[in-house]
């Protein structure tokens, strides 16, 4: 298996956490999202993923994009540890929480969106930061409410689930953009707990071979 990743990509970070939790060995291929105008836009990677986004996973004759589809694929191949509980209602609430992040929070602050805002539409750096903070705060307010109901040690009880896999990279991203997190004490408590788990520590952006490159 080969994962196309970039150290600061929060979508790739999700997949790296799952690979570590499930102890699946694989080869890494780094796609630098800034150098050369973004290697994701160059022909070799466009052949892998025409959407020009990381991550992508290659396994034998299959090439997959979308981190949550990749995670489902890995989960099917290596079911333990499980990322969702057997209780259907709880499992779907966890999946919905993951989708809250992957569909409704993350895309608004993605690199190409920010580049379009500053480049094509000409907004200032301050306006860009306001945009990032607005959409993160909107999303985190709802996540905080959900966690008040469900959190134990982790997002949903005391076991790591798909919700934690998506939450940690999104919080990393928010801290990187210096969002004031005092409004989200439950999110931060869970995040601090996740930051003690080896699978999360080893998947962190700064722990990657391409970090700071
Ligand atoms: N929904 C996709 C999102 C993928 C995505 O947006 N990747 C970002 C990095 S986190 C990217 O490659 N950005 C490059 C760009 O915006 O040009 C997934 O979950 O895999």
């Amino acid at each position: 298996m080969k994962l196309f990743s970039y150290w600061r990509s929060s979508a790739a970070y999700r997949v790296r956490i799952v690979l570590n939790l499930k102890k699946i060995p694989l080869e890494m291929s780094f796609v630098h999202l800034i150098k050369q105008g973004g290697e994701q836009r160059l022909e070799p990677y466009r052949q892998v993923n025409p959407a020009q986004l990381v991550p992508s996973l290659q396994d034998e004759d299959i090439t997959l994009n979308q981190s949550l589809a990749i995670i489902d694929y890995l989960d099917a191949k290596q079911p333990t540890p499980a990322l969702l509980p057997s209780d259907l209602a709880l499992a779907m609430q966890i999946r919905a929480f993951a989708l809250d992040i992957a569909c409704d929070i993350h895309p608004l602050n993605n690199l190409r969106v920010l580049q379009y805002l500053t480049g094509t539409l000409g907004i200032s750096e301050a306006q860009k930061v306001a945009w990032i903070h607005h959409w993160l705060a909107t999303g985190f307010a709802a996540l905080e409410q959900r966690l008040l109901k469900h959190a134990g040690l982790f997002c949903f009880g005391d076991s790591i689930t798909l919700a934690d896999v998506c939450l940690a990279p999104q919080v990393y991203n928010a801290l990187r953009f210096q969002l004031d997190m005092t409004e989200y004490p439950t999110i931060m408590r869970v995040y601090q707990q996740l930051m003690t788990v080896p699978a999360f520590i080893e998947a962190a952006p700064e722990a990657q071979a391409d970090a700071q490159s």
Side-chain angles (χ1 to χ4, degrees):
M1 274 194 214
K2 185 197 276 193
L3 180 71
F4 294 85
S5 176
Y6 176 63
W7 63 291
R8 269 185 161 163
S9 158
S10 40
Y13 188 178
R14 295 172 199 147
V15 177
R16 297 195 301 257
I17 294 167
V18 171
L19 289 163
N20 293 344
L21 287 170
K22 292 178 175 290
K23 301 194 187 331
I24 299 173
L26 94 173
E27 181 192 338
M28 297 287 268
S29 178
F30 300 120
V31 181
H32 202 293
L33 298 189
I34 309 292
K35 279 186 188 161
Q36 302 185 71
E39 290 174 358
Q40 72 277 26
R41 302 193 179 107
L42 301 181
E43 194 51 31
Y45 187 68
R46 284 164 59 164
Q47 292 295 324
V48 176
N49 183 4
Q52 303 170 36
L53 298 168
V54 294
S56 296
L57 182 88
Q58 284 181 333
D59 184 27
E60 296 170 3
D61 53 357
I62 179 174
T63 301
L64 270 181
N65 68 306
Q66 288 295 352
S67 59
L68 293 188
I70 294 170
I71 289 169
D72 280 353
Y73 179 78
L74 296 172
D75 202 32
K77 287 203 108 172
Q78 174 59 59
T80 54
L83 298 174
L84 293 174
S86 52
D87 180 281
L88 178 64
L90 191 56
M92 289 309 108
Q93 287 176 84
I94 292 170
R95 186 172 287 287
F97 185 96
L99 292 171
D100 282 341
I101 294 173
C103 298
D104 295 344
I105 300 177
H106 173 266
L108 287 162
N109 292 339
N110 195 11
L111 178 67
R112 65 184 180 180
V113 171
L114 301 178
Q115 286 175 337
Y116 187 80
L117 287 171
T118 52
T120 309
L121 299 184
I123 71 167
S124 68
E125 272 304 303
Q127 286 173 315
K128 181 184 95 171
V129 172
W131 167 282
I132 292 170
H133 285 183
H134 173 75
W135 292 116
L136 285 172
T138 303
F140 280 142
L143 298 182
E144 177 70 18
Q145 287 301 306
R146 296 192 201 286
L147 290 191
L148 278 174
K149 190 167 165 205
H150 294 287
L153 269 183
F154 300 113
C155 286
F156 284 75
D158 293 336
S159 301
I160 290 172
T161 67
L162 184 64
D164 300 289
V165 166
C166 291
L167 183 74
Q170 197 59 60
V171 173
Y172 169 87
N173 185 272
L175 295 174
R176 184 180 153 215
F177 287 110
Q178 298 175 327
L179 181 71
D180 177 2
M181 297 298 286
T182 51
E183 300 280 308
Y184 321 111
T186 321
I187 290 177
M188 286 313 288
R189 179 177 60 71
V190 170
Y191 178 72
Q192 301 299 352
Q193 188 66 38
L194 290 168
M195 289 302 103
T196 68
V197 177
F200 285 71
I201 295 169
E202 287 156 27
E206 282 71 22
Q208 303 313 298
D210 62 330
Q212 319 290 351
S213 63

